[in-house]
């Protein structure tokens, strides 16, 4: 069954804590993305990766970090520097067309991060 | 800043009617256009993609693109209560930009 999985579904963060959101895909897609969605707002790009061991900052990368050690995996760490992390986090993947993406992006089920 | 604008709604239509969702974008170099449906608390799922001017039909859905006017729309014919969701417009030029979405309610 091909698709994108994200875990956990809900995540609670304490003050000063770093937390990591998992994203795995078995679609053999080259490109992977992390978006943040706040109520009433569009998706905002945090980071994206076109190829293993390479990634680029999006519009709101401050307070976040990523790694891309495997093609299938693109974990996102929300660091303590991110002062307002409460949001719905969406991972996506796509084929890679040469620009950021010429192909359709497909989304995982999302992780909802809440601050205690 | 490259913008994608959508009327936030809510847009309310009766069951069986045509729902019309609109989107404008600022980046004239945009090449690919997408409509996603997002149910409350869920992730976006792709409904339609369109790349050239004109209409593209898929079942009850029709996407319309006018690059000269920088306008893309989605028509939903024979609207059903299950179509009640937020519809996101996405535009791809140098990067992918999403609108904030239009909330559609289809009343039985």
């Amino acid at each position: 069954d091909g698709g994108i999985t994200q875990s956990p579904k809900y995540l609670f963060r304490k003050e000063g804590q770093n937390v990591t959101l998992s994203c795995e895909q078995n679609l053999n897609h080259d490109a992977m993305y992390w978006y943040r969605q706040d109520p009433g707002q569009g998706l905002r790009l945090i980071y994206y990766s076109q190829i293993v061991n390479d990634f680029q900052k999006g519009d709101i990368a401050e307070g976040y970090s990523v790694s891309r050690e495997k093609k299938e995996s693109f974990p996102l760490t929300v660091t303590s520097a991110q002062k307002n992390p409460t949001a719905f986090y969406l991972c996506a993947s796509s084929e890679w067309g040469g620009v950021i993406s010429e192909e359709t992006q497909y989304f995982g089920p999302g992780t909802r991060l809440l601050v205690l | 800043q490259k913008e994608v604008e959508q009327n936030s709604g809510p847009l309310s239509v009766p069951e069986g009617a045509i729902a019309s969702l609109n989107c404008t974008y600022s980046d004239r170099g945009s090449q690919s256009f997408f409509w996603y449906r997002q149910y409350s608390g869920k992730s976006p799922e792709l409904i339609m993609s369109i790349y050239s001017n004109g209409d593209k039909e898929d079942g009850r859905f029709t996407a319309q693109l006018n690059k000269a006017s920088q306008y893309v729309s989605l028509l939903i014919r024979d609207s059903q209560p299950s179509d009640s969701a937020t519809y996101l417009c996405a535009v791809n030029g140098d990067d992918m930009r999403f609108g904030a979405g239009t909330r559609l309610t289809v009343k039985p």
Side-chain angles (χ1 to χ4, degrees):
Chain A
D1 218 10
I4 305 172
T5 58
Q6 291 185 243
S7 62
K9 186 174 181 179
Y10 296 96
L11 186 56
F12 298 92
R13 196 192 88 165
K14 296 179 182 178
E15 287 287 334
Q17 187 180 38
N18 293 353
V19 292
T20 297
L21 285 62
S22 168
C23 178
E24 304 275 335
Q25 56 98 1
N26 61 5
L27 300 169
N28 200 33
H29 284 167
D30 294 307
M32 297 185 74
Y33 312 82
W34 275 106
Y35 291 93
R36 169 178 172 147
Q37 188 176 35
D38 295 278
Q41 295 191 35
L43 279 65
R44 292 184 290 166
L45 183 64
I46 304 172
Y47 270 98
Y48 68 98
S49 168
Q50 308 162 14
I51 196 170
V52 173
N53 292 323
D54 187 46
F55 46 84
Q56 309 296 327
K57 291 183 179 180
D59 296 327
I60 56 166
E62 186 175 349
Y64 300 96
S65 66
V66 293
S67 63
R68 186 87 186 275
E69 296 178 2
K70 298 186 300 181
K71 186 176 183 178
E72 304 80 24
S73 179
F74 191 39
L76 173 74
T77 296
V78 183
T79 74
S80 57
Q82 173 51 243
K83 297 306 180 187
N84 185 24
T86 297
F88 190 39
Y89 290 86
L90 290 158
C91 178
S93 71
S94 75
E95 300 288 346
W96 181 249
V99 291
I100 186 168
S101 177
E102 293 180 342
E103 301 293 337
T104 306
Q105 293 186 18
Y106 296 93
F107 288 88
T111 292
R112 197 166 297 278
L113 177 60
L114 300 166
V115 176
L116 294 177
Chain B
Q1 181 78 343
K2 298 170 185 175
E3 302 288 343
V4 177
E5 301 286 344
Q6 294 182 254
N7 187 327
S8 63
L11 173 65
S12 182
V13 301
E15 183 175 356
I18 295 175
S20 177
L21 305 164
N22 305 314
C23 173
T24 59
Y25 59 95
S26 63
D27 181 10
R28 284 196 170 275
S30 298
Q31 297 294 322
S32 310
F33 306 85
F34 305 88
W35 282 100
Y36 288 85
R37 177 175 62 199
Q38 186 175 25
Y39 292 113
S40 181
K42 302 296 185 182
S43 63
E45 55 180 326
L46 179 74
I47 299 175
M48 297 276 291
S49 59
I50 186 166
Y51 302 94
S52 54
N53 281 328
D55 295 359
K56 180 182 178 182
E57 186 175 318
D58 184 1
R60 295 186 297 112
F61 299 97
T62 299
Q64 299 174 318
L65 175 60
N66 184 327
K67 289 186 180 180
S69 299
Q70 296 174 242
Y71 175 91
V72 58
S73 66
L74 179 71
L75 300 178
I76 306 175
R77 291 182 300 281
D78 188 25
S79 295
Q80 301 297 310
S82 59
D83 295 326
S84 298
T86 297
Y87 290 80
L88 304 176
C89 172
V91 175
N92 199 1
D94 293 332
D95 55 9
M96 183 81 94
R97 295 282 167 176
F98 288 82
T102 298
R103 188 154 55 94
L104 172 67
T105 300
V106 180
K107 295 185 175 181

